[in-house]
Amino acid sequence: MSKTFIPQGYKSLLSVKETEHAIVMIKDFFQLALSTELNLTRVTAPLFVECNTGLNDDLNGVERAVTFPVKDLNDSKMEIVHSLAKWKRVKIADMELPADFGIYTDMNAIRADEELDNIHSLYVDQWDWEKVITDLDRTSSYLKDVVKKIYRCLKRTEFYIYDRYPQITPILPEEITFVYAEDLQRRFPNNTPKERENIVAKQYGAVFIMGIGGKMADGSIHDGRAPDYDDWISEAGDGHHGLNGDLLVWNPILEQAFELSSMGIRVSPESLKAQLEERGCPERANLFFHKRLLNGELTPSIGGGIGQSRLCMYFLRKAHIGETQVSIWPQEMVETCKANGIHLL
């Protein structure tokens, strides 16, 4: 069964050449907006890290990283990053940045276990960012303020593209709506988490779903989160838990909720211990990253990732992520896309 969704009557609003130009425009404009809005300086980033340090993002804990031996290091194994969720936190500590300042970088990853469809690729490109905060900033209100700043960057980018390609009309609402995953579970107990996302994204246009990874009232979780970067167990206020979330918009081309970003206030030593216990992996406390955090060597921070190809796909009204990045696809998908006017780069 094909995993390719073909929108009825789909036709790209831009030619291939215009698309390539617009991709550069979006990336250049958005990263400058993000940098100035959040006080972030650009840094270079690794494509791979050493195995068994705990620095790589474990995603849901089951995805296999691409590994390779290094001849000049006695065949020590390296692994291609899934994301830089934990590496960034070490970086800002080593840079000794003051509170309210941070970093961003172009992150390129390979996720070999990804299930390929219109929005998932083997190749992942995103802006990974991390910012120093104080202990007093570890609140839901601070997280919401940061989300609003990022949303302003999205709004400005949308107008920037419309101003140059008037056939791409703005559709983002003026404000983003905040909702907790556990409230969605109570409101829509008979729906799956993805169905709940579709309902609220279509209703509001842009939503930030908070508290992802921790157990909800019925014992389920909204979506998987590794236990060692986002804090999904601490109290967030108003009877809720979770200091993280996903930024979703309604995608009218694909007719579904569309995740552009995941972010959160990072784990404290206390919440790291609790989350490792809840996920049944307390032995990870002995890894390099975790030791530094538990020893108080890493500053409190907030951070996240913003998908570059996803962002371009959304703003250019594309039906497939392969229209905004180069990757490898199943032959059946390639043929289906070609037959339906979807040009994979």
Side-chain angles (χ1 to χ4, degrees), residues 4 329-339 342 344:
T4 311
W329 309 100
Q331 189 58 35
E332 178 191 7
M333 183 178 290
V334 173
E335 293 172 358
T336 299
C337 287
K338 186 175 181 181
I342 297 176
L344 302 180

Side-chain angles (χ1 to χ4, degrees), residues 14 19 22-23 26 161 168 312-318 324:
L14 302 179
T19 297
I23 289 171
I26 289 172
I161 291 301
I168 304 179
C312 294
M313 183 183 171
Y314 175 74
F315 283 132
L316 301 181
R317 310 292 185 250
K318 299 293 188 178
T324 57

Side-chain angles (χ1 to χ4, degrees), residues 188 191 194-204 250:
F188 309 107
N191 295 95
K194 291 302 176 187
E195 289 170 343
R196 296 168 198 155
E197 291 179 357
N198 286 334
I199 292 170
V200 292
K202 187 173 185 179
Q203 179 181 357
Y204 298 113
W250 177 251

